[in-house]
Amino acid sequence: MSPHVIIDKYNLVISLLITIAWQLSGFAIAWTFKFDKITDFTGGSNFFILALITLTTGGTYYARNIVASVLMMVWAARLAGFLLFRVLKTGSDTRFDDIRSHFFKFAGFWTGQILWVWVVSLPVVVLNSPAVSDLAKGGSNPKFGTGADIAGIIIFAIGLFWEATADIQKWLYKSSNPPKGKPCTKGLWYYSRHPPYFGEITLHWGLWALCISPTLYGNVSEGGRRAQYASITSPLFTILLLMFLSGLPTAEKPAAKKYYLHSHELTDGHVQVKSDSWDKYKHYLSKTSILFPVPPKLYRPLPEFVKRYIFLDLPMYKFNEREGREALEEERRDSA
């Protein structure tokens, strides 16, 4: 198949338009029917669609392009499939309980999903453009097997294994009806409080390293080099998203709040302890790295500033006693 340039030579506009159309279709269904079951599936499947379309329309059927596209499609299919399976089993997604009936708040989430898909897909989308990979269009196709190719595949494989294995282990743990007040420490969760996030960050760095070979080892045009270097926004945006937006901030404090409420009650205006769940949870936090996998015996004795500034267990993730009291008062008002 001869290569086709659609709108722009780096696939940026067409990939954005496809993403907008796919996500708006999902939003229309989810909003109309108050239906959570397709939200994450629509996000994950979008990556699969972009990799497939840019590979086939670009006609760049070179080993690197095929491998990078297939890896993205494997990751996307795994992610979309698992999230669809999980929401079908649980029936709904609690993340949307407060925004499902508010049009602009719900639309805001889907707008964020458009940005997430488009930015994170850039390494593969740009690589599959003829302007980067086709010699006749000013691109370059160095022989597959460069150092960046091998490193990228290995890093991607580690990340995908970490993310997929951690998801399965957490699902099996929750399915076993574990006792309340006990966090998951099975498998990879023994080394990190959020191993799927570590896996996702890792695999996107690997995918970017694989895709950058035409610039590092070939003779790509100046515009192609700029486009490839700019696609580093994919792993950087993944870090930003998971550390400061929809990842750790939406997981850490809600989890701590749950354990605090389980172990405290408000009696005559005073906070009373009714179990040791909170103390055990704080002990768990002190010995378990928030993101990077570290054996608890090595992590626990580390100085607080090392945990905070090297391992990124930032103050913004901490749940304090004041917030605990506010949570108890809120619970009392809701039950009144």
Side-chain angles (χ1 to χ4, degrees), residues 21-128:
W22 188 247
Q23 296 303 315
L24 288 182
S25 299
F27 169 70
I29 297 172
W31 168 255
T32 301
F33 300 102
K34 301 297 185 285
F35 191 61
D36 294 342
K37 295 178 176 59
I38 65 166
T39 303
D40 285 323
F41 177 81
T42 305
S45 60
N46 205 151
F47 289 99
F48 190 102
I49 292 169
L50 291 180
L52 182 62
I53 289 179
T54 56
L55 177 65
T56 54
T57 59
T60 50
Y61 294 108
Y62 308 120
R64 180 175 300 103
N65 300 70
I66 294 172
V67 170
S69 299
V70 168
L71 291 182
M72 174 170 273
M73 288 189 283
V74 168
W75 167 70
R78 203 285 315 173
L79 180 67
F82 173 75
L83 295 177
L84 179 62
F85 166 79
R86 188 175 67 179
V87 77
L88 288 175
K89 288 292 186 179
T90 58
S92 64
D93 194 326
T94 56
R95 292 176 302 167
F96 306 121
D97 288 348
D98 295 332
I99 66 173
R100 194 181 294 111
S101 59
H102 297 81
F103 180 85
F104 290 106
K105 289 182 179 180
F106 199 44
F109 170 85
W110 284 83
T111 301
Q113 187 152 274
I114 290 172
L115 182 64
W116 169 57
V117 172
W118 184 71
V119 172
V120 173
S121 67
L122 284 178
V124 172
V125 164
V126 171
L127 174 69
N128 284 341

Side-chain angles (χ1 to χ4, degrees), residues 228-302:
Q228 285 220 290
Y229 282 133
S231 69
I232 198 175
T233 51
S234 169
L236 292 177
F237 183 77
T238 301
I239 293 174
L240 174 68
L241 183 69
L242 294 179
M243 290 203 62
F244 301 107
L245 298 172
S246 70
L248 297 179
T250 62
E252 279 292 299
K253 282 196 173 184
K257 177 181 176 180
K258 178 183 68 174
Y259 288 104
Y260 190 90
L261 292 176
H262 181 261
S263 60
H264 293 80
E265 61 184 0
L266 203 60
T267 305
D268 297 328
H270 299 285
V271 177
Q272 304 290 334
V273 177
K274 61 180 181 179
S275 78
D276 62 354
S277 297
W278 177 241
D279 288 336
K280 288 182 177 178
Y281 187 69
K282 288 193 293 184
H283 176 69
Y284 159 77
L285 295 179
S286 72
K287 70 176 185 177
T288 311
S289 171
I290 190 170
L291 183 65
F292 302 105
V294 182
K297 289 184 178 180
L298 296 179
Y299 185 78
R300 185 182 180 187
L302 292 175

Side-chain angles (χ1 to χ4, degrees), residues 183-235:
C184 177
T185 56
K186 302 293 184 181
L188 301 179
W189 296 83
Y190 179 74
Y191 302 99
S192 166
R193 305 204 300 264
H194 301 283
Y197 295 163
F198 172 77
E200 184 153 344
I201 290 170
T202 301
L203 70 87
H204 285 302
W205 277 111
L207 203 55
W208 179 77
L210 168 62
C211 292
I212 201 70
S213 280
T215 288
L216 295 182
Y217 302 95
N219 187 28
V220 181
S221 67
E222 180 63 26
R225 285 198 299 272
R226 287 199 300 265
Q228 285 220 290
Y229 282 133
S231 69
I232 198 175
T233 51
S234 169

